[in-house]
Amino acid sequence: MQDVPAPTAADQGTPGEQRRRTRRRHDREIVALAVPAFGALVAEPLFVLADSAIVGHLGTPHLAGLGVAAALLTTAVSVFVFLAYATTAAVARRVGAGDLRSAIQQGVDGIWLAALLGAVLVAVTVPTAPGLVGLFGASDTAAPYAVTYLRISAFGIPAMLIVFAATGVLRGLQDTRTPLYVAIGGFTANAVLNVALVYGAGLGIAGSAWGTVLAQWGMAAVYLVVVVRGARKHGAALRPQPAGIRASARAGVPLLIRTLSLRAIGLIATAVAAGLGDESVAAHQVVLSIWSLLAFALDAIAIAGQAIIGRYLGAGDVDGAREACRRMVQWGVATGAVLGALVVAARPLILPLFTDDAGVHDVLLPALLVVAVTQPLAGVVFVLDGVLMGAGDGPYLAWAMLLTLAVFAPVALAVPTLGGGLTAVWWSMGLMMLTRLVTLWLRARSGRWLVTGAVRA
């Protein structure tokens, strides 16, 4: 746990000096939490990238099989990211209240929930792997490799979910550096194991899967050591606590609904783009990749928001929570503006980096400009999303995302009929972000999220 000063009254001085000191204090906290969080977020997709680079040299069917299996695994695991979000908020509240034993106990319960969910997913995935691969339409030559990779990698799912929950524990304890170090170590181990098992041991795509599984369990083991040490230091129980596990599950359900709604939005956008032709869907994948990379930077501020807001509310400091929210919104706007400007400035380099096809360039450029223009808006959305998560306001986030999906879907699905091509698809994504902004901003202004105490009633 990092030594972060508890919220205190503003320092002595004029009101202007007090405000400047408060802003500087918030800035230091945001940077200390957000920068390592960004590094850890960027490291995560490098697992698949490393696997792809190594397996790609085995042959096209192997790489195609990996692509199908990785898509299935990512989809299955990403919907459980609430294990990190809900745990961060719950632990941070208890930290703010000064109850470290209860904070770590809540984290341990979250880890037990992750292990149970992981065991269920393994039991479902291993026997159904051929059917799941078939749903993705894998070719006859790629399907066997996809099944092999998926069945083996399924044994790493519990580790991935444990990592989610344990990361939430450390974030709640105001520590984002340890997750960064673990992510870097995990990526390095994954790359080394993949090379050794794929080529050194001659295991082919199975070696890549086992290498990834071993790296994931290695990461989980490191996290478990850190959490167990904290539990023993502060007297928290390590055995499963049914009440605590149920509480973690209840907190996670609304965030699961939120995540599924977001996934549905992404799938609809991709499906519409695919219906516009090969050039459009190719350009869409490029724009989506860039949008996802930009989202890592904005999500890092949101993660800082989860930890900071939870701590302030746990300490009963409503004014501190309001001021932290206000400052993080300013950070979100500024970061979004910088990212948007970078996209515009870098577009001559971005276009040839992904493809030399002039037709794809023509479709890609205007869609990319839409992404650039909407980045400041996205910055506010990500921050407020993190603030409300930190406040434990999951039910509102679930309803707000369902409303957003209801607004987005008919507009996006009408694009092929109304025209506008891929640019219109991304303007519909902009509408989605605008809808999220309105719902989140109204909630933030209402103050109903400012519920204090070690546990949100």
Side-chain angles (χ1 to χ4, degrees), residues 196-397:
L197 295 176
V198 172
Y199 297 111
L203 297 180
I205 195 168
S208 177
W210 282 118
T212 301
V213 168
L214 291 172
Q216 288 161 345
W217 275 108
M219 293 170 66
V222 172
Y223 275 119
L224 290 174
V225 168
V226 173
V227 173
V228 167
R229 285 178 178 173
R232 288 176 174 169
K233 178 179 179 181
H234 297 286
L238 294 175
R239 63 183 180 276
Q241 304 290 319
I245 294 173
R246 286 194 298 269
S248 296
R250 283 195 301 271
V253 168
L255 296 180
L256 175 62
I257 294 171
R258 167 197 168 275
T259 302
L260 289 173
S261 299
L262 269 174
R263 295 290 298 182
I265 288 170
L267 290 173
I268 290 171
T270 300
V272 173
L276 298 175
D278 290 347
E279 291 180 346
S280 291
V281 72
H284 176 73
Q285 288 304 115
V286 173
V287 178
L288 190 61
S289 299
I290 295 168
W291 189 85
S292 298
L293 178 61
L294 300 176
F296 286 139
L298 300 176
D299 203 28
I301 304 175
I303 288 169
Q306 294 171 28
I308 293 170
I309 294 299
R311 195 187 79 240
Y312 272 112
L313 293 178
D317 189 352
V318 170
D319 291 337
R322 283 187 185 276
E323 181 57 36
C325 175
R326 186 177 301 111
R327 190 57 178 163
M328 282 185 284
V329 167
Q330 293 170 353
W331 270 81
V333 172
T335 304
V338 170
L339 291 174
L342 287 174
V343 170
V344 173
R347 68 187 189 281
L349 301 175
I350 293 174
L351 298 180
L353 180 65
F354 288 94
T355 178
D356 295 324
D357 190 318
V360 174
H361 285 189
D362 292 340
V363 178
L364 174 60
L365 180 57
L368 197 58
L369 291 176
V370 173
V371 170
V373 169
T374 57
Q375 282 307 292
L377 183 153
V380 179
V381 168
F382 274 75
V383 167
L384 291 179
D385 199 46
V387 165
L388 296 183
M389 281 187 193
D393 207 11
Y396 181 84
L397 290 172

Side-chain angles (χ1 to χ4, degrees), residues 12 33 35 38 116 141 211 278 291 329 341 413 422 431 436 443 454:
Q12 297 297 318
L33 291 170
V35 172
F38 173 70
L116 292 172
T141 54
D278 290 347
W291 189 85
V329 167
L413 293 172
L422 186 65
L431 173 64
R436 291 185 69 189
R443 187 64 167 182

